[in-house]
Amino acid sequence: MGEELRGETAVDSRAGVAIAWLERWQIPLYLLALVAGAAIGLTAPATAPAFEQTINPVLIALLYATFLSVPLTRLGQALRNGRFLAGLLVLNFALVPVLVYGLSRFVAHDQALLLGVLLVLLTPCIDYVIVFSGLAVLGREVGDT
């Protein structure tokens, strides 16, 4: 307790190990959760009301874990990077809308479905952006070695 390990407490070290483990196994854990949820929903539909009450707390925990990986200390540096911001603006306001328009033509006949597709594709959840950006940085770092 309170023991120092290279400038970190033992608690910090255990948290780092847990975070690394969760990052390593994130996709298999999500897939397992999807399969378990489908199995429970199909075999015991009466449990739905109980599980429905857990949706918001579980989403909060998942988003909290995702936001822990955001390096807020480097936010100012990112905002001063003109090349990064230009790429971000072109991608979000020029390329993505054109791609979404093309993809949305498959459901253009149904206004409700079209609205749903447009909302999902044009308003990405920030947690996806964080995860995919982290994967891109990791890919770049691996490619640099």
Side-chain angles (χ1 to χ4, degrees):
M1 295 186 184
E3 170 183 321
E4 294 294 323
L5 300 171
R6 283 183 255 148
E8 297 179 348
T9 65
V11 172
D12 291 339
S13 179
R14 285 193 303 268
V17 169
I19 290 170
W21 186 87
L22 285 171
E23 285 180 354
R24 165 69 179 96
W25 294 102
Q26 181 177 17
I27 293 173
L29 288 171
Y30 284 175
L31 292 175
L32 179 64
L34 286 169
V35 169
I40 292 169
L42 292 172
T43 59
T47 61
F51 283 112
E52 184 177 352
Q53 299 302 314
T54 66
I55 291 174
N56 286 338
V58 169
L59 284 176
I60 289 169
L62 290 172
L63 287 171
Y64 177 73
T66 299
F67 282 111
L68 284 177
S69 67
V70 175
L72 293 176
T73 57
R74 295 183 6 213
L75 182 61
Q77 177 186 359
L79 292 174
R80 288 187 299 273
N81 185 337
R83 186 172 169 211
F84 168 74
L85 288 176
L88 189 65
L89 291 171
V90 168
L91 181 67
N92 283 326
F93 297 108
L95 298 177
V96 168
V98 170
L99 177 65
V100 169
Y101 178 80
L103 292 173
S104 69
R105 298 304 85 200
F106 296 109
V107 296
H109 61 281
D110 184 340
Q111 293 298 309
L113 190 54
L114 176 61
L115 177 63
V117 167
L118 292 176
L119 285 174
V120 167
L121 295 178
L122 290 174
T123 57
C125 294
I126 192 66
D127 56 326
Y128 295 158
V129 173
I130 292 169
V131 171
F132 292 144
S133 297
L135 291 173
V137 168
L138 177 62
R140 188 186 73 221
E141 290 172 358
V142 169
D144 289 343
T145 59

